[in-house]
Amino acid sequence: MIKKILIVDDSPISVKIIKSCIPKDKDYELFDANDGQAGVEKYKEIKPDLTFMDLTMPVMNGFQALEEILKFDQKAKVIILTADVQIKAVSKAHDLGAFSVLKKPPAKETIAAAIKEAENALL
């Protein structure tokens, strides 16, 4: 069951959009971090059930943060949310262990479906 969701993105507007797309009827606990390094630290601190991660960020990019999170927790469910949906970036994210890759800006339906898919994978 998904209770804690971490959003790692350096854009406050993107964080706000993602939060607005997460279904309100489930009482998820939402956390956010504004770069990859802060995201890894926040992940280790709160151990979320699901993480939404941008790729292009300062300090540590999403690819590096994804690798660090998966070293710490091999079962981590990390969904990459990015405007960079080039085949090379998408396949690299999958190769590194991303649960899925979604295009920014996300739609409510896309986020709800991704959360449901991640929840089903945990069963």
Side-chain angles (χ1 to χ4, degrees):
M1 179 126 184
I2 291 175
K3 292 199 181 300
K4 293 182 194 172
I5 297 175
L6 173 62
I7 301 164
V8 184
D9 199 309
D10 62 318
S11 163
I13 292 163
S14 288
V15 171
K16 199 171 187 176
I17 291 169
I18 296 163
K19 283 182 176 180
S20 75
C21 290
I22 293 172
K24 306 286 180 267
D25 61 343
K26 300 279 189 178
D27 287 330
Y28 296 117
E29 277 184 81
L30 302 180
F31 302 87
D32 58 85
N34 60 2
D35 66 57
Q37 180 68 49
V40 171
E41 289 166 11
K42 183 67 91 172
Y43 187 95
K44 290 177 177 179
E45 178 191 328
I46 64 165
K47 298 177 187 68
D49 304 301
L50 181 62
T51 302
F52 287 102
M53 174 89 63
D54 186 21
L55 287 179
T56 309
M57 294 180 288
V59 186
M60 180 187 283
N61 69 37
F63 293 122
Q64 295 164 319
L66 172 62
E67 284 185 287
E68 289 302 310
I69 286 170
L70 288 170
K71 277 185 207 167
F72 174 75
D73 178 4
Q74 294 176 345
K75 293 180 180 163
K77 295 275 178 273
V78 180
I79 296 173
I80 300 297
L81 253 173
T82 184
D84 181 5
V85 287
Q86 297 173 48
I87 291 168
K88 191 176 172 185
V90 171
S91 62
K92 181 177 179 179
H94 281 296
D95 291 347
L96 290 173
F99 182 72
S100 64
V101 179
L102 303 177
K103 188 175 179 348
K104 270 183 173 179
K108 283 187 181 217
E109 300 77 28
T110 309
I111 294 290
I115 292 170
K116 192 175 189 71
E117 190 181 338
E119 211 151 49
N120 290 339
L122 292 171
L123 299 177

